Amino acid sequence: MINTGYRQRLWYNQPAEEWNEALPIGNGRLGAMIFGGTAEEKLQLNEDSVWYGGPRDRNNEDALPHLPEIRKLIIEGRLREAEELAAMSMAGLPEAQRHYLPLGELLLSFGDHEQSAEDYRRELDLEQGVSRIKYRIGDVSYSREMFASYPDQAIVIRISTDNKDGISLKARFTRNNWRYLEKTKKWLNNGLIMNGDCGGKGGSTFAAVLKAVTEDGLCRTVGEYLLVDGASSVTLLLAAGTSFRHSDPDLYAKRRLEELSQVPYEELLARHTADYRGLYGRVKLMLPENPNQSGLPTDERLKRFQKGEEDNGLIVTYFQYGRYLLISSSRQGSLPANLQGIWNDSFTPAWDSKFTININAQMNYWPVEICNLAECHEPLFDLVERMKEPGRVTARVMYGCRGFTAHHNTDIWADTAPQDTYLPASFWPLGAAWLCLHLWEHYRFSQDRYFLAKAYETMKEAAQFLLDYLIEDAEGRLITCPSVSPENTYKLPNGESGVLCVGASMDFQIIEALFGACIRSTEIIGVDEAFREELAAALERLPKPQIGKYGQIQEWMEDYEELEPGHRHISHLFALYPGDAFSLEHTPELAEAARRTLERRLANGGGHTGWSRAWIINFWARLKDQDKAYANVRSLLQHSTLPNLFDNHPPFQIDGNFGGTAGIAEMLLQSHAEGIKLLPALPQSWGEGSVKGLRARGGYTLDFAWEEGLVTEAVVTCTVSGPCRLDAPGLVPVSFTGQAGCSYTFTPKG
Ligand code: FUC
């Protein structure tokens, strides 16, 4: 039975016992994980610019003088020596970039909660972007409604009861064991201010401010506590900021709340939902659902799914949750979604909870265009823009090159020097180039030439770096060296194994995509003819993709054995997804080799992290293998999904959520080869359904429905005028010239 529009929500019959059960809210900048306790409630808080330490120049000046020697050692296969020298001369100084920190916690204790709670329910309403908690104590009902508002830049917590004057509570901020860096002060009789240092030299200062607005009742502050007694309802407003954006974060946050405390709660809610729905409401997905499952809480559904039960409804929720998480962790003006979006409770988070740009940060943005959230892409573009200056210094100081570069990580300060001396990853200068392809993708979807004209300048600088970085090998080809195939190790016939290499296949695929994008851009905006020719000449000399002894795409220029044939990174299939140089349509042999590559990775235990599994879904979707794509959607939810539907690397890492959402979209719609293809990888169990609002390259929005795997109606809405080609099972292939602003409907009858 087709879902006729159940409200998309996550819901539970009990409070969260641990962080991975708590529910996330966010407005891109401010975030909270809500535990939903009754007598004691906890909101673990984040603000996206609370990072340890200030900006630094970490470039290692010894890189450039040692570069020829490192190259020589690698080319001669003396990997141990090359790696030893690279570890000393190329490592960032100091080794680590900055790391992301929690803002703190807001703890609430409620009076008259001695008896146990009944009729408990908590939910995250994905349609409204609101979290709710309801329960009863004796005869008294309580409810809480919470959201992070983008238009008002605050977290809003509304506490209500049906017992007039029945709310009393104590509120306080905490910051675990890091309390020595902050202190909490009173703010009049109804507010608290927690402020302090984020730590580290040149680091930011932060402030979090809480203000209570009550109906009836009294407010006062005692020590670090804010107390409310005898209120009929309470609205708690929370604002926060750091000196990364505000010269006086205290003042900023207080002003925010002074203003918002004058606005009725209903209006704050209305402003939030209008803003949120403006993004979320653009896409609707319906698949055949089992109505008996819709009455079950999310954790129960997930458990059943993990035991093998089918549940398309849960998959639809997972898909929309990915969109929710993106809206909540990446909004105009915020930092990009980091490894944990914005939700992090650790002062020493896994991989620093920063921006890992050899797959993870990019994966966060895979759903953004196709799932109609293009505005949410902007924080990534802003970061790329800020990386340009440090990236120019890194290019010049480390490699003596023009343009800008970055390695496999960056941080709040847009640091581009290598992160750590983890040899399988660190000395890989393709990070900026890959990120720049996001600019190009944004253009491909929007066709916005003004955007492209500016973006091209950035893409060009990333390409300039690579033109200079490429060296000629004995056969006259242009190769990268040193590089790595993130983050795999190869074995040499002489018994040595290592990671630094000559020409990782992924490098050439990224370079080809970037140079190609730059060439197209110069044509579209009519500039830089000479540079276009330089790029075209270099493209000719790049090594071509090769098929190795297992029939696989070679991961390196030589057909080396991999130390881990089931490695989580499948970098050499970049050109299959997110790139598009490998396709069934245009390069069937490479597509077949890509299939073999995947089979071999999977047969050797591949896909064991959430993000790797999510990437695999996208690969199979591009290979139009609906069964394998679906099996990997199943695996993602089965093996790599936490009770709150967060992706589990393990630990929690958000990229798998975003990659999973992108993969589901890619099964329904593709637009990387010529034209638009509907239902390219539709699994049997999604035989009927509909989707509204997906975007396709070329400036199109698609609404379509299908039955028994055949499209019954497709509506193409054009945002720009131009030729369009549509291919869908059940429809006669059609080419037409669309007019901007017009919609065209196609049915099996024509
Ligand atoms: C890359 C991956 C790891 C992890 C880390 C954040 O280094 O290889 O699996 O996702 O980034």
Side-chain angles (χ1 to χ4, degrees):
M1 188 187 146
I2 281 271
N3 170 348
T4 44
Y6 297 118
R7 261 183 115 124
Q8 289 303 326
R9 65 183 82 207
L10 277 60
W11 68 277
Y12 303 82
N13 281 326
Q14 68 289 328
E17 276 179 17
E18 47 136 354
W19 196 88
N20 289 327
E21 294 175 9
L23 293 172
I25 56 169
N27 66 4
R29 201 174 62 75
L30 277 175
M33 292 296 283
I34 303 170
F35 282 67
T38 51
E40 307 284 335
E41 169 67 293
K42 175 156 93 180
L43 274 77
Q44 185 268 307
L45 305 171
N46 287 103
E47 200 275 354
D48 70 344
S49 62
V50 178
W51 287 62
Y52 181 87
R56 293 166 300 177
D57 178 348
R58 297 171 47 258
N59 292 294
N60 191 332
E61 291 181 356
D62 287 334
L64 188 55
H66 290 93
L67 192 58
E69 177 70 6
I70 294 168
R71 285 179 163 156
K72 185 164 169 280
L73 290 169
I74 295 171
I75 291 167
E76 288 172 3
R78 291 156 64 191
L79 300 184
R80 280 286 84 76
E81 292 164 72
E83 289 173 5
E84 207 182 326
L85 186 56
M88 293 186 288
S89 62
M90 295 180 69
L93 304 173
E95 281 179 21
Q97 297 177 349
R98 298 308 194 184
H99 63 279
Y100 183 48
L101 298 173
L103 174 63
E105 292 172 348
L106 175 66
L107 303 180
L108 307 176
S109 319
F110 293 95
D112 298 324
H113 273 55
E114 289 76 25
Q115 283 169 268
S116 56
E118 290 173 70
D119 299 336
Y120 179 91
R121 178 180 165 120
R122 72 186 163 109
E123 68 172 25
L124 180 61
D125 179 340
L126 302 183
E127 312 273 339
Q128 305 281 325
V130 173
S131 177
R132 298 188 190 91
I133 292 151
K134 285 191 168 56
Y135 57 92
R136 187 168 55 72
I137 303 239
D139 298 335
V140 181
S141 296
Y142 294 90
S143 64
R144 263 169 255 153
E145 202 162 52
M146 304 178 240
F147 55 88
S149 167
Y150 178 72
D152 287 318
Q153 289 296 314
I155 289 177
V156 181
I157 303 165
R158 169 75 164 185
I159 303 156
S160 323
T161 177
D162 57 4
N163 180 22
K164 188 168 158 37
D165 308 338
I167 299 170
S168 63
L169 68 83
K170 281 197 297 198
R172 74 179 299 203
F173 283 121
T174 67
R175 227 175 162 236
N176 295 323
N177 297 331
W178 286 61
R179 303 219 60 195
Y180 58 86
L181 289 173
E182 47 83 0
K183 71 173 202 247
T184 300
K185 308 175 288 200
K186 304 167 181 180
W187 182 29
L188 307 173
N189 67 335
N190 63 353
L192 299 173
I193 302 169
M194 173 174 70
N195 58 13
D197 279 338
C198 297
K201 193 160 171 261
S204 303
T205 60
F206 71 89
V209 180
L210 182 76
K211 188 176 175 73
V213 180
T214 61
E215 185 188 340
D216 313 319
L218 286 175
C219 286
R220 67 201 155 104
T221 51
V222 178
E224 292 191 329
Y225 290 84
L226 164 64
L227 307 181
V228 176
D229 271 314
S232 299
S233 74
V234 181
T235 305
L236 294 175
L237 301 167
L238 191 152
T242 74
S243 51
F244 179 73
R245 295 196 181 89
H246 308 284
S247 55
D248 185 342
D250 259 44
L251 190 65
Y252 157 76
K254 283 197 293 201
R255 286 211 175 130
R256 209 65 309 274
L257 297 194
E258 270 161 2
E259 188 189 320
L260 296 184
S261 57
Q262 307 302 315
V263 182
Y265 172 73
E266 298 308 328
E267 197 174 325
L268 293 175
L269 177 65
R271 293 208 294 231
H272 163 66
T273 51
D275 163 72
Y276 172 80
R277 287 194 55 77
L279 293 164
Y280 177 88
R282 293 173 185 172
V283 173
K284 193 166 181 103
L285 172 62
M286 306 230 243
L287 294 177
E289 290 198 20
N290 174 349
N292 299 328
Q293 290 168 326
S294 64
L296 296 173
T298 305
D299 47 350
E300 178 63 25
R301 286 174 83 160
L302 184 65
K303 270 190 211 138
R304 290 179 180 213
F305 192 89
Q306 292 178 334
K307 286 193 188 128
E309 193 173 295
E310 293 296 340
D311 188 345
N312 285 336
L314 188 65
I315 293 173
V316 173
T317 303
Y318 188 87
F319 168 78
Q320 291 288 27
Y321 189 46
R323 297 184 64 249
Y324 167 84
L325 292 172
L326 199 56
I327 299 169
S328 306
S329 62
S330 186
R331 291 296 302 270
Q332 286 153 309
S334 78
L335 287 165
N338 65 39
L339 285 172
Q340 299 184 189
I342 35 171
W343 301 281
N344 161 44
D345 71 338
S346 170
F347 283 85
T348 52
W351 293 289
D352 302 337
S353 192
K354 55 181 187 296
F355 309 106
T356 306
I357 55 175
N358 68 0
I359 175 68
N360 317 87
Q362 288 90 342
M363 182 176 284
N364 285 358
Y365 288 89
W366 287 353
V368 76
E369 298 289 339
I370 186 169
C371 290
N372 214 336
L373 295 173
E375 299 89 329
C376 299
H377 219 159
E378 286 181 27
L380 188 69
F381 304 154
D382 295 343
L383 179 63
V384 174
E385 218 36 51
R386 289 198 295 119
M387 287 166 74
K388 265 162 72 177
E389 188 45 37
R392 287 177 191 135
V393 178
T394 299
R396 191 176 65 242
V397 171
M398 284 189 67
Y399 303 108
C401 297
R402 296 171 298 165
F404 88 112
T405 190
H407 295 82
H408 91 298
N409 268 252
T410 188
D411 65 8
I412 185 171
W413 305 109
D415 194 335
T416 51
Q419 155 72 23
D420 60 38
T421 31
Y422 178 56
L423 287 165
S426 302
F427 307 132
W428 177 78
L430 274 291
W434 187 348
L435 285 174
C436 281
L437 287 169
H438 280 254
L439 302 169
W440 175 239
E441 281 296 293
H442 181 71
Y443 168 76
R444 289 176 82 189
F445 277 88
S446 66
Q447 300 291 304
D448 178 346
R449 285 170 192 228
Y450 293 104
F451 174 84
L452 185 65
K454 185 160 179 281
Y456 166 68
E457 294 302 322
T458 305
M459 290 156 54
K460 177 181 176 182
E461 278 199 56
Q464 263 168 341
F465 167 76
L466 289 164
L467 281 173
D468 288 2
Y469 186 72
L470 289 165
I471 52 172
E472 198 175 276
D473 74 355
E475 293 168 40
R477 295 174 299 188
L478 293 179
I479 57 163
T480 50
C481 183
S483 188
V484 296
S485 181
E487 303 179 8
N488 211 355
T489 305
Y490 63 97
K491 293 194 263 185
L492 286 178
N494 69 7
E496 277 208 45
S497 66
V499 289
L500 292 189
C501 69
V502 173
S505 302
M506 178 193 236
D507 294 354
F508 302 128
Q509 297 173 13
I510 292 175
I511 295 170
E512 194 184 290
L514 180 68
F515 286 9
C518 286
I519 290 173
R520 278 293 296 132
S521 303
T522 62
E523 288 163 357
I524 295 163
I525 52 186
V527 290
D528 274 357
E529 206 168 319
F531 187 59
R532 183 189 313 158
E533 277 159 24
E534 198 184 339
L535 290 170
L539 270 180
E540 289 291 305
R541 296 175 61 196
L542 286 181
K544 302 284 166 278
Q546 299 178 81
I547 298 176
K549 55 181 171 286
Y550 301 107
Q552 89 288 11
I553 300 284
Q554 273 182 214
E555 187 162 351
W556 296 273
M557 273 174 69
E558 298 297 328
D559 197 8
Y560 298 132
E561 289 292 332
E562 320 92 316
L563 204 63
E564 275 184 71
H567 199 273
R568 62 194 179 283
H569 286 261
I570 314 180
S571 309
H572 43 323
L573 296 195
F574 172 91
L576 180 64
Y577 188 94
D580 57 19
F582 298 172
S583 69
L584 284 172
E585 294 84 355
H586 301 300
T587 60
E589 278 163 27
L590 293 173
E592 177 54 27
R595 162 183 289 277
R596 295 274 186 90
T597 311
L598 278 177
E599 282 166 355
R600 188 171 139 78
R601 273 292 206 261
L602 287 165
N604 286 283
H608 49 275
T609 67
W611 64 259
S612 180
R613 183 67 68 191
W615 200 354
I616 291 167
I617 298 169
N618 287 278
F619 287 140
W620 286 124
R622 282 280 169 96
L623 291 173
K624 302 194 175 40
D625 190 324
Q626 61 274 21
D627 295 340
K628 293 216 165 70
Y630 180 70
N632 283 282
V633 171
R634 265 214 78 91
S635 291
L636 182 63
L637 272 89
Q638 211 158 350
H639 305 299
S640 305
T641 299
L642 294 160
N644 58 5
L645 301 191
F646 266 171
D647 171 63
N648 197 10
H649 180 288
F652 158 57
Q653 196 169 289
I654 208 158
D655 40 17
N657 285 102
F658 295 137
T661 290
I664 292 167
E666 202 69 24
M667 290 161 75
L668 300 170
L669 168 79
Q670 292 178 15
S671 61
H672 57 284
E674 285 99 65
I676 304 167
K677 291 203 169 47
L678 305 186
L679 306 180
L682 188 75
Q684 197 108 52
S685 55
W686 301 355
E688 59 180 319
S690 68
V691 67
K692 192 180 128 336
L694 292 184
R695 298 273 295 157
R697 291 173 187 81
Y700 308 105
T701 308
L702 274 295
D703 304 337
F704 54 101
W706 62 94
E707 277 169 25
E708 295 177 13
L710 301 177
V711 170
T712 50
E713 184 180 89
V715 181
V716 183
T717 303
C718 304
T719 47
V720 290
S721 302
C724 178
R725 195 188 143 79
L726 178 72
D727 243 308
L731 301 185
V732 179
V734 40
S735 296
F736 63 100
T737 304
Q739 294 302 315
C742 295
S743 294
Y744 302 85
T745 302
F746 302 95
T747 62
K749 294 189 195 93

